[in-house]
Amino acid sequence: ADVHLRQRFADTSLQTGNYSLPVLEIYLGLAQEDPANRAAYYGKVSAIYTALGNEKEALRFRMFSQN
């Protein structure tokens, strides 16, 4: 699927409170396919991990998003 279409789907999912692993996996895939926006995707991965209660991974991806 088109990168922008998947990004819109994932962003809409987050906006509606869907912090699921499939959405997380979309962002991880987007980070590989669209490196110009990698930091933003990693920030959203961090938010999902926070919502899922996995602070270790949330911190890890928060640090990736800042680099």
Side-chain angles (χ1 to χ4, degrees):
D2 177 62
V3 169
H4 298 294
L5 179 63
R6 284 184 288 133
Q7 179 185 357
R8 278 199 320 241
F9 173 80
D11 289 346
T12 300
S13 295
L14 285 187
Q15 292 170 355
T16 60
N18 180 356
Y19 292 91
S20 65
L21 290 177
V23 175
L24 182 143
E25 290 174 6
I26 291 170
Y27 281 122
L28 289 175
L30 289 168
Q32 296 302 311
E33 295 174 45
D34 183 17
N37 293 308
R38 185 173 287 157
Y41 299 137
Y42 284 157
K44 292 174 182 182
V45 168
S46 176
I48 293 170
Y49 274 127
T50 296
L52 296 174
N54 189 337
E55 279 302 317
K56 182 178 177 182
E57 287 298 309
L59 177 60
R60 180 174 163 234
F61 279 93
R62 194 171 308 121
M63 292 175 74
F64 290 158
S65 74
Q66 296 171 355
N67 292 328

